[in-house]
Amino acid sequence: MPEILPAPLPAHSTGNDLGTVRNRTFDEIAVGDTASFERTLSTEDIQLFAVLSGDVNPQHLDAEYAASTRFQGVIAHGMLGGALISAVLGTRLPGPGTIYLGQTLKFLAPVRVGDTLRVSVTVTARDEAKKRLKLACSCTNQDGVAVIRGEADVIAPTERIERARTTLPEVRLTVNGDGLHRLLDHVRPMGAIPMAVVHPCDALSLSGTLDARAAGLITPVLIGPRARILAVAQANGLDISDIDIEDVPHSHAAAARAVELVAQGRVEALMKGSLHTDELMAAVVASGTGLRTKRRISHCYLMQTPAYPRPFIITDAAINIAPTLDDKADIVRNAIDLAHSIGVAEPRVAILAAVETINPHMPATLDAAALCKMADRGQITGALLDGPLAFDNAVSMAAAHTKGIVSEVAGRADILVVPDLESGNMLAKQLEFMGNAASAGIVLGARVPIVLTSRADSRETRIASCAVAVLLAHRYKVLPP
């Protein structure tokens, strides 16, 4: 979740502490007095200013467009710098009680994401009769380049004001709920893939299959007792007359036949129907006849919630009950493959634990440290890893800031690696049912992607899971086994 953090409060600027704001009256201010603070601009700062102002110029928001302009990248709104100058005047010099009369600004150089601005005001003139001040204003970046200069005209307060600092609400930027539509728009041009639907002997399995076919994602092959499948279709008004059915006597045989179809090259993905997950996965991992690769098989939830600015992955929440360090290394590698498939070139991987420090009595923290060192040594590649991180530090920049965590991953994780299946499953279900998260579940590490459905899955979840399977199926064609 991208929070808009308060600017650091340098003690030398006003003498204010973190708990209070106080002003300086006109009589206490002399020509030459100055105040300043520093602020490092983030993408979220620029996005929030666009929301508040309504200025959605693509130069500030669209990285692809901005790269083609004279600035060769996203730049901040000029008036965002003006707002920072206002913050100095209203909280530092003169401070609370200041009445803003006028402001001139000259924008001298672009401000980019990651720039650290020193925002300063200096008193240049006093009007004793009207209690007015003129202040020179400037914003200078980390290279000493002046990016904004101007002059402010204010009426200074004449009475002392000291107030408890107001606690601002945590600001979260939400994403429009169009993730499924964007995913489908991205995947449809790739074409439908042949997918074996294993034992689709209930209405949910069959209707989900038809939805995925209608979305242009799959060409299904139904595997199970023919008479039972046809009876379910007839009872629920589902037309499956033009879909191939592989007639087998029961669910065990359906799982085995699905694996055979993969071996024969007839299907490129599997989807679980109304059989138990263990039953399907037993056939997938069977020695000699299964679909195992050199990788440990693991499960990923690809999720999107209104409270977080991008899709993210939770792993493993369905396959590995109590993974070892070796298991977790493959769990991470599989999740990185999924992130690459959805277009995240260098995903940020947060290795979760209950705390963000290493504790020898908490194995999850030791595994997190070891995984990060494996990444340092090139044993895990294609991503940035950090851990142990508590959940709040992984997804909240404010929480990471409060605890003094400096990390490329903290507060902006793309992948959340949980300690075990129980914690991962509870986290994913809480986000889905109480956090309004959309999700897609997929199994990686086998020769083909496997869609694991649940009876509680929505229609959207089933379609999204098939869309992810299409992405992975195309990726698996170019990856070594």
Side-chain angles (χ1 to χ4, degrees), residues 365-382:
T365 68
L366 300 177
D367 285 351
L371 290 167
C372 292
K373 183 54 65 175
M374 292 173 73
D376 291 343
R377 295 289 188 265
Q379 294 170 267
I380 299 174
T381 59

Side-chain angles (χ1 to χ4, degrees), residues 245-262:
I245 299 177
E246 291 274 332
D247 187 19
V248 296
H250 46 65
S251 56
H252 286 288
R257 181 58 178 157
V259 170
E260 290 176 1
L261 293 184
V262 174

